[in-house]
Amino acid sequence: MVEQSVLALEKQQGSNPVLSEGIHDWVFECHGFLHNAGLIIASFLFLLYLALQAKKSFLKLSHGRSYIIISYYASLWLVSILNLLWCFSQAWECSPGKEFAWNLLSLFTTSGMLFLEVSLLAFLLQGNSTTGLEALTRTFGISGIIVGFDILLKAIYLFAFGIPIFINSDYPTPHVKWNLWVAHKLLLTLVYGFILFMYHSRWRERLPARPAYYKYVTIMLILNAIALFACGITGNGTAFGFWLYHFTVVCYHAAYLPLLYITFLADFFQEEDLHLENVYYSEMKDAGFFEADWN
């Protein structure tokens, strides 16, 4: 009904047939209106929030002089813009002749998000020594090497072998594609599982004393475990796995950057440092970090 109304309105207005067909395909074809609108609205609202908070955030950054926070905040802005562009370009995934542009945009966008993800993991695994320029260099250096290797591997799959690892509009897809994603999701799942294991073990004191980080780790462990399961059954020919994997992709692009901001940056931009200290103290107390003092 909505589709017929749009076509009728375009016909009455005498719009350009090519433009009308492009708008129609973007809205109704490929993944559909709800898919496209959900991704765009989520990514746009988060970028709008960053813009509205930019002045206060810049003032806080200028006074805080934290190299890690400044670099991470700048990276978050860049990746958020790339992600919004990716969300707006969903029609490219189903458009003949746009495969190269879609794969290139997807490669840069997902690599940027992976860089943020790996950087936070490297930060957590360094424990309480993550301060200063040396820690920033170490954190971003490790992340850059890992993400650089990931980009090279995916570029070989995409442009040397022609395997459509970022095109999820058609099923079935090459089996070798799912082998790559199984290895990718398995590594992330193992790392998140290892950090969560450390947090609940006697080595907990070696990690940063912020329980909010480990709520983030739990969420990402669940998401990557679901994606790993989906990739595994899709590679064995299960159509439900294909749908489930695509669902995890939508969740990742719509919600990961806001989750990262809430976990790692939001408290830093609180107006009152006393409030921030109270937040840290309350979280540490709830996690049992002061039980030894009472005993």
Side-chain angles (χ1 to χ4, degrees):
M1 189 63 155
V2 177
E3 181 178 355
Q4 293 176 353
S5 301
V6 171
L7 291 175
L9 180 61
E10 290 173 349
K11 185 175 180 181
Q12 291 175 3
Q13 294 176 345
S15 56
N16 188 316
V18 176
L19 179 61
S20 300
E21 183 179 356
I23 295 174
H24 173 269
D25 291 344
W26 184 87
V27 174
F28 296 106
E29 302 299 329
C30 199
H31 301 299
F33 174 76
L34 291 178
H35 169 277
N36 296 337
L39 279 173
I40 290 172
I41 292 173
S43 57
F44 175 77
L45 288 178
F46 177 63
L47 198 60
L48 178 63
Y49 174 80
L50 288 181
L52 293 175
Q53 297 292 318
K55 182 177 179 180
K56 184 174 69 175
S57 299
F58 290 152
L59 289 174
K60 187 71 175 180
L61 288 170
S62 63
H63 290 107
R65 299 185 181 277
S66 171
Y67 295 113
I68 292 178
I69 299 295
I70 292 172
S71 301
Y72 218 75
Y73 183 71
S75 300
L76 181 66
W77 260 102
L78 177 61
V79 175
S80 298
I81 293 171
L82 270 177
N83 189 56
L84 180 61
L85 180 60
W86 183 87
C87 294
F88 266 112
S89 305
Q90 291 296 296
W92 289 4
E93 187 175 1
C94 309
S95 303
K98 294 287 188 179
E99 292 88 352
F100 178 82
W102 171 255
N103 284 325
L104 195 63
L105 177 60
S106 298
L107 180 62
F108 280 111
T109 303
T110 56
S111 297
M113 297 177 74
L114 182 64
F115 178 80
L116 293 175
E117 191 173 351
V118 173
S119 297
L120 184 51
L121 288 174
F123 173 85
L124 292 175
L125 288 172
Q126 289 181 71
N128 297 315
S129 62
T130 50
T131 57
L133 186 58
E134 181 181 353
L136 172 66
T137 305
R138 185 167 57 246
T139 300
F140 279 17
I142 295 171
S143 305
I145 292 173
I146 294 174
V147 174
F149 176 77
D150 182 78
I151 291 174
L152 178 62
L153 182 61
K154 289 176 181 175
I156 292 173
Y157 268 70
L158 283 169
F159 306 120
F161 299 129
I163 299 171
I165 60 175
F166 292 118
I167 295 179
N168 298 315
S169 57
D170 296 315
Y171 179 82
T173 49
H175 182 77
V176 67
K177 163 184 174 176
W178 300 107
N179 292 337
L180 173 67
W181 285 123
V182 164
H184 188 274
K185 300 303 178 184
L186 178 61
L187 287 173
L188 287 173
T189 302
L190 289 175
V191 174
Y192 283 118
F194 175 71
I195 293 176
L196 204 59
F197 167 77
M198 285 187 65
Y199 179 67
H200 292 287
S201 71
R202 58 190 179 90
W203 295 291
R204 180 175 62 177
E205 294 182 357
R206 298 184 181 182
L207 297 172
R210 289 253 14 234
Y213 291 160
Y214 308 105
K215 294 176 183 177
Y216 160 86
V217 169
T218 303
I219 293 172
M220 294 305 298
L221 174 62
I222 294 172
L223 180 64
N224 280 281
I226 293 173
L228 174 61
F229 172 74
C231 293
I233 63 175
T234 303
N236 290 323
T238 305
F240 170 73
F242 182 76
W243 175 88
L244 184 62
Y245 171 74
H246 189 68
F247 175 76
T248 63
V249 171
V250 172
C251 291
Y252 185 70
H253 282 273
Y256 177 69
L257 295 175
L259 174 64
L260 189 69
Y261 179 86
I262 292 171
T263 302
F264 191 66
L265 293 173
D267 285 340
F268 179 83
F269 294 121
Q270 292 288 336
E271 292 183 355
E272 296 180 6
D273 292 337
L274 180 59
H275 172 72
L276 182 58
E277 291 176 3
N278 289 335
V279 170
Y280 287 172
Y281 177 81
S282 298
E283 289 184 346
M284 292 170 67
K285 183 178 179 181
D286 292 340
F289 276 89
F290 301 113
E291 290 177 357
D293 296 337
W294 290 102
N295 294 332

